[in-house]
Amino acid sequence: MLPQVPDKSLLTYTPNYCEENVYFLCKSFSSAVETFDTFACFISNEHKNVPLWKQRIAKGPNDPVIW
């Protein structure tokens, strides 16, 4: 069984620093549940941009955002 995700109001969030936010999310998750190892994978390519779906900033619910 997967552990509960912490309430987002309790998480550290830094605007414009995605990698830092991922680090803090992993740290929060792993300290709350010691039986799971926490990893993050950053995806990039030669153009240094990646389409991501389900982002709040997207123009529409099915539109990707290019980061």
Side-chain angles (χ1 to χ4, degrees), residues 37-57:
D37 291 328
T38 308
F39 298 91
C41 176
F42 293 94
I43 302 169
S44 190
N45 58 32
E46 62 189 27
H47 304 291
K48 299 195 185 294
N49 57 38
V50 179
L52 296 173
W53 284 264
K54 306 297 182 192
Q55 301 286 295
R56 282 184 280 175
I57 197 170

Side-chain angles (χ1 to χ4, degrees), residues 1 7 12 15 21 23 25 27 30 33 41 46 52 55 57 60-61 64 66:
M1 173 162 47
D7 183 326
T12 302
N21 291 326
Y23 167 77
L25 178 62
K27 186 175 175 183
S30 65
V33 183
C41 176
E46 62 189 27
L52 296 173
Q55 301 286 295
I57 197 170
I66 307 298

